[in-house]
Structures are given as structure tokens and as C-alpha cells.
Amino acid sequence: MPKRPYVIEEMISAKTIAARVEDLSREIHDEFEGTDKLVVVGLLRGSFVFIADLVRELDLPVEVDFIEASSYGNKTESSREVRILKDLRGEIAGRDVLVVEDIVDTGHTLKHVIGLVNAKGPKRLKTIALLDKPSRREVDISADWIGFEIPDEFVVGYGIDFAQRNRNLSYIGKVRFTNE
Ligand code: IMP
């Protein structure tokens, strides 16, 4: 079945994202200054561009690890059941950890992942999300740092997909379905 046609309207430019990533990395640096090791944990797959830019701005001893949690499938509605498809490879017990999420939407994913990571006994756990859609929240959770608060729009780009497409856009755009 052919996909519903859509266009992408720019919401946050590449330049604006880069400036914000720089600000955030400064705040993260201040929080973790003096750490012997910061384990930066990206949530696959949507955070891969954000984490790549973020760690390159961080002048700290950093390790990178990933967790993959199931989310949307090919729909535009969030699943409430969060499944872990790929767990951390490295040890984080007694470590400083920063969990990096692309979007906090209903909040189920971040809440589940925080529980999982906390159970491994990190010394300090902080969270950052590039985007936050507070109007969609179903569980009481928020990231320690947010790149941008956005309205209830479906967005793509800068690592974020719609049915695995559009991750390679350098900006963040909203999906607008067109009538054929
Ligand atoms: P939550 O569990 O509802 O907070 O969903 C979080 C996950 O849903 C994010 O990590 C994204 O993968 C996905 N998601 C939420 N909103 C969007 C969107 O606008 N575009 C693409 N993926 C989204």
C-alpha cells in the first residue's frame, strides 16, 4: 500500500540546533566537571545524531553506550508498552551517567529507561532530551535538560524518523500530510 504523501516543514533550523547543543554541552560540562568518566547512553535510534554532536562538544572523559527501546513502529501513535531490544554493553555501576533521548512524548520510554539504568546502580544519573512535547505527557517525568519544547506535532530530522525515513535531515521539521 502506498504511503500517505506528506511534506516536511522546517521547525528548527540546523543552525539553531547547533547553537542549542553548544549551550547544553556547557551546562553538562559544569554539572559533570571533575568526573573520572561520564557514560553517555543514547537511546537508539532517534538520538544518534544528537549524541554525536553533543559528545563532540563535551570536554570530559566520555564513554558512549546505547540502549534500544521499542517505540512507534510505523505508526504515529506511541505504544505504552516499552520493550528493551538492546541493553547496555558496558558497566555503569558507580559511574556518572547521562541518558540521551530524542523526544519525550508520553514519557513512558524515558521513565522505563531511567528505571532500568537506575537498577544498575550509577553514582549519578542525569537525562537530556533534544525535544519535549509536554502536552502529550501521560506519566510524570521530565528530562534534566531539554533542547526545545515543541507543540503536539509529529516531527522528523536530525536523527528522528517517520517510518525509518528522514533521519538524515540536518534540521527538524514537522510532517504535514497532503491530500493527493
Ligand atoms: P514516549 O515513550 O511516548 O515518550 O515516546 C518516545 C519516543 O517516541 C521517542 O524516543 C521517539 O522515538 C518517538 N516519538 C515521539 N514523538 C515523535 C515524533 O514526533 N516523531 C518521531 N518519533 C517520535
Side-chain angles (χ1 to χ4, degrees), residues 131-154:
L131 302 176
D132 189 14
K133 294 187 198 171
S135 64
R136 296 260 309 159
R137 202 70 93 253
E138 291 176 7
V139 291
D140 185 21
I141 194 102
S142 56
D144 296 303
W145 292 281
I146 294 292
F148 304 92
E149 202 175 286
I150 60 167
D152 182 10
E153 300 278 1
F154 197 82

Side-chain angles (χ1 to χ4, degrees), residues 71-72 78 101-109 133 153-155 160-161:
S71 63
Y72 273 66
S78 181
E101 165 78 301
D102 57 350
I103 308 178
V104 187
D105 187 35
T106 64
H108 290 283
T109 307
K133 294 187 198 171
E153 300 278 1
F154 197 82
V155 295
I160 299 163
D161 74 306

Side-chain angles (χ1 to χ4, degrees), residues 9 31-33 47 49 64 68 74 88 109 125 127 133 138 143 158 164 171-172 178:
E9 294 170 351
E31 171 72 29
F32 288 103
E33 193 165 17
S47 74
V49 176
V64 175
E68 185 171 8
N74 288 345
L88 293 172
T109 307
L125 171 61
T127 55
K133 294 187 198 171
E138 291 176 7
Y158 197 69
Q164 300 309 325
Y171 60 90
I172 289 164
T178 54

Side-chain angles (χ1 to χ4, degrees), residues 110-127:
L110 187 61
K111 187 168 188 197
H112 189 90
V113 168
I114 287 174
L116 181 94
V117 171
N118 256 332
K120 296 176 192 282
K123 180 167 83 186
R124 178 167 32 162
L125 171 61
K126 295 282 179 186
T127 55

